[in-house]
Amino acid sequence: MTIGARSRTTAGRRRWGPLVVSGVLVAVMGALGLLSTQQAGELAVDQHRADRVQNTSFAGQLTAQVVRDGLGQLASVLAAQEGAGVPAFGATPGTDAAGQDEERIRSLVVSAGDAMNRGAAVVNPLGQVVASYAPTGETASPSDPGFSPLLAALTDAGADRLPLSGIVRIADEPALALGVPVALSDGSTGLFMCAWAAREASGDYVTGGAGEGWIVDGAGLVVGTADRQAIGSPFPYPRALAAVRSGGDQGIADTTDDGTDHVVSWQRVPGTTWLAVNVQTKDAFQGHLDRASLRTGALVLAMLLITGTALVVLSRRRERAMAVIASTDELTRIHNRRGWFELAEQELARAARNGERRLAVFIDLDGLKQVNDVLGHEEGDRAIASAASVLRAACRSGDVVGRLGGDEFVVLLGDGTDEAEVRRRLAAALDDFNSASSAAFELRFSIGAESWDPHRPCSVEDLVRRADERMYADKQSRTDRYVNLIRIPAKA
């Protein structure tokens, strides 16, 4: 090889070498950036899944509380009668006392209204109906398989089970029943069972939020859902139900029914054989996160052609964007529960350092159930979004506004904010909205405020809880909060 040839080879190496090294560095940095993007997307999805499990758990806990309240009321009524000297129910069908027992049961059913609109019966230890009454003339038989969990709970009181049935059939319509032990005239213990129409019970607390909310009994029959005609029928996602039954008391899983991928979360309703279940298509559940991740990845690949430094910058932007997505409420575009609490904790820490006061205002949107029932859930979502707009209009740029979930909002306001002034601004913003709105509903707020003192600090959770209690007192004091809430006809 000549000296000239060697010179050209050396020059080529000098020209292409740095390009190759730069390309390798850019490729390595690109790979690292894409990996970081993927991990951040997975973390956002994991957090989203954890939030869904928490929401479903809340539905299960609330369902159990509703049942316990009903049992407590029924037990109190029967105990009051016993304390007043009302004779015990008879123990044998067909006796002379049966007529008096039937009249007593009829009186209880009539006074209970919808809570016993399918009647009630007294059953002796042999499983015989001693006396009964039903407005329709037909009562459920204790041999109905749906009564099994109720009877099992009464015979195994130490297991902390609620005496609650699954779906039973009365006049070929789905019904539910609960029971409490009663003393019979022969000294034995019988069972007072009352039943109500499952399709007429309110279940909005079960079905709120994203996805489809369901309550399912131990036999796989629907107890509660948004479509009341589906109540009493088999749960329409059999593979999801199989995953739920094999997954413990609480969890979330990916399933496929009828060729469609779903994300199903569940919570066993404490003390019952029921399950609170939420089902949503996988695309609806996390598609926005997946698409955001894909868009960011494509942008990263494009910027790799420029410099590795740009890749790092874009990766950081992507992580910030995912953090915003994870902390923003999809419907109202204000902070969600997680995002608001994070910012509120930072704000209180800053206030503590500076010795400044803060004011927390808890706002509950009155009448959302009425709007959902009369106008539909689309109008309900519109009411929630409108409420968020009213709050933004009434607050300053430095105030932290968030939606805790459902119809509940919270605002953390800065130093020197007066409660009376906040109420005035909120009232003015509400009046402006209601006077200009063409919606078929009016917005109304129940409001509770609690001050935070740096000399007597408390946690964010305690501050919100106290404001919530004040809001509840405000709501209870206003008897006209639902009057003329629905505009019929709507404003043109």
Side-chain angles (χ1 to χ4, degrees):
M1 180 181 295
T2 65
I3 294 176
R6 286 198 300 269
S7 298
R8 287 192 297 271
T9 301
T10 302
R13 289 174 179 173
R14 289 175 178 174
R15 182 173 63 251
W16 293 104
L19 293 177
V20 172
V21 172
S22 297
V24 171
L25 290 175
V26 168
V28 171
M29 294 179 67
L32 293 175
L34 290 174
L35 180 60
S36 175
T37 295
Q38 180 182 1
Q39 290 175 341
E42 291 172 353
L43 287 174
V45 171
D46 289 344
Q47 182 61 52
H48 193 35
R49 292 168 76 90
D51 291 343
R52 179 56 55 84
V53 171
Q54 184 179 14
N55 291 340
T56 307
S57 176
F58 175 76
Q61 297 289 342
L62 183 57
T63 301
Q65 187 59 51
V66 170
V67 174
R68 290 190 183 95
D69 290 345
L71 284 168
Q73 293 172 7
L74 178 58
S76 296
V77 170
L78 294 175
Q81 289 190 347
E82 182 180 353
V86 177
F89 289 103
T92 305
T95 62
D96 294 339
Q100 296 177 354
D101 289 343
E102 181 176 333
E103 178 59 26
R104 178 181 172 188
I105 295 172
R106 187 196 69 79
S107 177
L108 288 170
V109 170
V110 171
S111 64
D114 290 343
M116 298 188 192
N117 60 13
R118 288 298 179 266
V122 175
V123 180
N124 65 19
L126 298 177
Q128 300 170 324
V129 176
V130 176
S132 66
Y133 171 77
T136 62
E138 183 176 345
T139 59
S141 169
S143 62
D144 189 310
F147 277 114
S148 297
L150 188 157
L151 299 174
L154 291 169
T155 57
D156 189 12
D160 193 27
R161 298 178 183 172
L162 296 177
L164 177 68
S165 75
I167 290 290
V168 297
R169 291 283 169 177
I170 301 178
D172 202 32
E173 289 293 327
L176 296 166
L178 54 78
V180 296
V182 291
L184 302 183
S185 58
D186 64 354
S188 63
T189 300
L191 176 66
F192 185 94
M193 298 190 304
C194 66
W196 64 94
R199 288 176 180 164
E200 296 176 16
S202 175
D204 288 346
Y205 58 88
V206 170
T207 59
E212 301 175 34
W214 304 81
I215 298 294
V216 184
D217 70 7
L221 300 179
V222 177
V223 173
T225 190
D227 180 9
R228 298 192 176 184
Q229 292 305 309
I231 295 176
S233 62
F235 184 61
Y237 301 100
R239 292 189 177 179
L241 185 58
V244 167
R245 285 176 168 169
S246 63
D249 290 344
Q250 180 188 78
I252 188 168
D254 299 315
T255 63
T256 301
D257 275 289
D258 295 330
T260 301
D261 293 333
H262 295 98
V263 176
V264 55
S265 59
W266 69 91
Q267 168 69 52
R268 189 170 301 280
V269 179
T272 75
T273 59
W274 291 6
L275 289 162
V277 183
N278 185 288
V279 180
Q280 191 173 15
T281 64
K282 192 168 186 178
D283 181 69
F285 176 77
Q286 66 184 64
H288 63 293
L289 295 176
D290 293 338
R291 286 186 286 273
S293 182
L294 288 174
R295 286 194 296 268
T296 306
L299 183 60
V300 168
L301 287 174
M303 294 303 292
L304 283 176
L305 299 176
I306 303 173
T307 62
T309 303
L311 174 63
V312 175
V313 172
L314 288 173
S315 180
R316 291 177 179 174
R317 287 182 180 177
R318 189 267 170 198
E319 292 173 2
R320 288 195 296 270
M322 295 304 293
V324 171
I325 292 174
S327 63
T328 301
D329 181 68
E330 295 178 15
L331 177 60
T332 61
R333 310 313 299 171
I334 61 178
H335 298 299
N336 61 16
R337 172 185 286 270
R338 178 169 174 261
W340 188 89
F341 270 90
E342 289 179 354
L343 287 178
E345 288 177 353
Q346 296 172 12
E347 187 64 21
L348 290 188
R350 180 163 49 249
R353 291 192 300 268
N354 298 334
E356 298 175 346
R357 300 174 64 89
R358 293 292 184 266
L359 183 69
V361 180
F362 197 105
I363 302 101
D364 187 88
L365 176 59
D366 292 331
L368 180 60
K369 180 182 183 300
Q370 189 176 351
V371 174
N372 284 331
D373 289 347
V374 176
L375 304 176
H377 285 273
E378 289 187 2
E379 284 298 292
D381 286 348
R382 181 181 176 186
I384 292 172
S386 299
S389 298
V390 169
L391 291 178
R392 284 195 296 264
C395 293
R396 298 169 301 189
S397 60
D399 298 334
V400 185
V401 184
R403 178 188 176 200
L404 297 185
D407 54 3
E408 295 179 340
F409 299 82
V410 66
V411 182
L412 186 65
L413 301 104
D415 190 27
T417 303
D418 180 69
E419 178 181 345
E421 174 63 13
V422 173
R423 289 181 175 272
R424 187 197 65 76
R425 295 206 313 259
L426 286 172
L430 274 177
D431 288 341
D432 290 344
F433 172 85
N434 288 326
S435 62
S437 172
S438 62
F441 56 83
E442 285 197 0
L443 286 185
R444 296 176 190 173
F445 290 159
S446 292
I447 301 169
E450 180 69 19
S451 178
W452 186 89
D453 189 341
H455 302 294
R456 295 187 298 274
C458 65
S459 67
V460 178
E461 290 79 9
D462 283 342
L463 184 64
V464 171
R465 176 181 56 78
R466 293 172 189 171
D468 185 14
E469 291 172 352
R470 292 181 180 274
M471 179 279 298
Y472 184 77
D474 177 64
K475 180 182 288 289
Q476 294 299 107
S477 68
R478 293 167 41 245
T479 59
D480 62 340
R481 59 185 182 274
Y482 303 133
V483 177
N484 299 324
L485 178 74
I486 305 299
R487 300 169 172 173
I488 300 178
K491 294 170 66 176

